Amino acid sequence: MNVVTVFINGIEYNLKGDEQEEYLHKVASYVDKKVKSIIKNNSKLSTSSAAVLSALNVADDMLKAKEKEEQLSGRVDELEKVGKVYEDQINSLRKQLKYTEELNAEFKVKLKNSNSDGPLKEKDEKIKKLEEEIKIIKETAQKYMSENTKIAAQNKELKFQVQSGKYKIIDLQHKLEENQISLAKERKNRNALLNDGVK
């Protein structure tokens, strides 16, 4: 466990945590800036009041980050569903394309081996029709594959944003805990000063 000495609004605190010292300093710096900002805007506030308002601000930041993370998670789920639909369509088109190509190849073989199965013009039209169908299927499959690639890229970006959001929430939770610790210490110091004054 790491122990670091930090200053929040000019008061020294010893922080303990499993996190790295650099992180604990970062948390303390964040809380210090919040408290100083609140006191700067209203110099009549006591330190404990400023600490409470800072805790409210940190909690607000954390809740907003959680809400954004939930929205991003929902968007990722939607994109994964759409991606699955496109994958199914692509697989269906590939099967259809394979079947059409096999049919076309079989038809060409029959045409080559037989000169008496009907007029040549009719056979040419059938071949052209099959080739057009193959072309359309290929274009449609290409379109779906392109859209699927775009969705996969969007999904990857959203997953990254969700992960970043989770880290931000964890960071804000740590900051909120540190703020609560600093508020408890401030109250303890004030009670000690009041008790000393009563004597």
Side-chain angles (χ1 to χ4, degrees), residues 40-55:
K40 182 181 176 184
N41 290 333
N42 190 345
S43 58
K44 294 179 182 178
L45 283 177
S46 66
T47 306
S48 60
S49 295
V52 169
L53 291 173
S54 298

Side-chain angles (χ1 to χ4, degrees), residues 1-3 13 28 34 37 39 41-42 44 47 53 56-57 62 107 111 114-115 120 133 136-137 156 162 165 169:
M1 179 169 288
N2 291 318
V3 180
Y13 297 95
K34 286 278 185 190
S37 171
I39 290 174
N41 290 333
N42 190 345
K44 294 179 182 178
T47 306
L53 291 173
L56 286 170
N57 283 338
M62 183 185 70
F107 187 75
L111 179 64
S114 171
N115 290 326
L120 190 59
E133 283 181 24
I136 290 167
I137 291 169
K156 186 177 178 183
V162 167
I169 288 167

Side-chain angles (χ1 to χ4, degrees), residues 111 118-128:
L111 179 64
L120 190 59
K121 185 177 179 183
E122 185 182 318
K123 291 175 184 175
D124 283 344
E125 285 175 7
K126 285 182 180 178
I127 290 172
K128 283 181 183 176

Side-chain angles (χ1 to χ4, degrees), residues 36-179:
K36 284 181 177 174
S37 171
I38 287 169
I39 290 174
K40 182 181 176 184
N41 290 333
N42 190 345
S43 58
K44 294 179 182 178
L45 283 177
S46 66
T47 306
S48 60
S49 295
V52 169
L53 291 173
S54 298
L56 286 170
N57 283 338
V58 171
D60 178 53
D61 291 346
M62 183 185 70
L63 291 172
K64 283 177 181 172
K66 272 187 178 178
E67 189 178 318
K68 186 176 180 183
E69 187 263 333
E70 285 170 8
Q71 289 172 351
L72 289 172
S73 291
R75 183 76 178 122
V76 166
D77 291 343
E78 285 175 23
L79 284 173
E80 283 179 348
K81 286 177 187 173
V82 172
K84 179 75 173 79
V85 169
Y86 280 138
E87 280 180 29
D88 291 344
Q89 289 174 337
I90 288 167
N91 289 333
S92 173
L93 285 166
R94 281 179 177 154
K95 287 177 187 174
Q96 190 179 347
L97 179 61
K98 184 179 177 185
Y99 172 75
T100 309
E101 284 176 338
E102 287 171 359
L103 196 64
N104 190 29
E106 185 182 316
F107 187 75
K108 283 182 179 179
V109 168
K110 282 183 180 178
L111 179 64
K112 192 175 183 182
N113 293 337
S114 171
N115 290 326
S116 60
D117 284 341
L120 190 59
K121 185 177 179 183
E122 185 182 318
K123 291 175 184 175
D124 283 344
E125 285 175 7
K126 285 182 180 178
I127 290 172
K128 283 181 183 176
K129 187 177 178 184
L130 283 170
E131 286 173 345
E132 283 174 14
E133 283 181 24
I134 289 169
K135 184 181 175 186
I136 290 167
I137 291 169
K138 281 183 177 178
E139 286 171 357
T140 307
Q142 189 62 41
K143 177 187 165 194
Y144 281 125
M145 284 190 276
S146 175
E147 287 177 10
N148 199 35
T149 302
K150 286 178 188 173
I151 286 173
Q154 286 178 344
N155 204 1
K156 186 177 178 183
E157 175 61 25
L158 284 172
K159 281 182 179 176
F160 174 76
Q161 289 179 22
V162 167
Q163 194 61 36
S164 297
K166 284 180 181 175
Y167 288 135
K168 186 174 181 182
I169 288 167
I170 291 167
D171 189 41
L172 287 169
Q173 285 172 332
H174 285 298
K175 289 173 184 174
L176 182 59
E177 289 168 11
E178 295 305 326
N179 207 351

